[in-house]
Amino acid sequence: TRTVATASSLQEVLDGAARRLAALFRVRWAAVALFDDAGRLVVRADHAVDGQAPSQVGVEVPLTAGGPAERAVALRRAVAVADLD
């Protein structure tokens, strides 16, 4: 709540959310994706704990049948993926 109240932009809020998600779930990388005006799911913020992963901001998230993004959209909540490989 404090971050939202003191943030100067939506991007600052999303960046903070990605950082906190990575820490909360103890994962190396976390992202926040939102639907754009065209109905595409696009990464708006991400955080790599070790700083080594290239940013995925701006990348469209495919909603493939049975994939984790499709599951998150259908359930209307975040899902954790143990290993994307």
Side-chain angles (χ1 to χ4, degrees):
T1 306
R2 183 174 358 129
T3 300
V4 173
T6 61
S8 62
S9 68
L10 173 61
Q11 190 60 53
E12 189 177 331
V13 173
L14 296 176
D15 291 339
R19 272 192 312 279
R20 284 188 297 284
L21 285 168
L24 177 67
F25 290 107
R26 296 183 181 131
V27 294
R28 295 181 308 223
W29 182 78
V32 175
L34 301 174
F35 284 99
D36 66 9
D37 293 336
R40 298 174 305 148
L41 188 60
V42 178
V43 175
R44 293 288 306 273
D46 65 353
H47 177 71
V49 173
D50 59 9
Q52 298 299 313
S55 176
Q56 297 297 306
V57 172
V59 174
E60 183 177 352
V61 178
L63 295 175
T64 56
E70 181 193 44
R71 189 172 48 215
V73 170
L75 295 173
R76 298 180 56 96
R77 65 180 178 88
V79 296
V81 178
D83 187 359
L84 290 175
D85 293 330

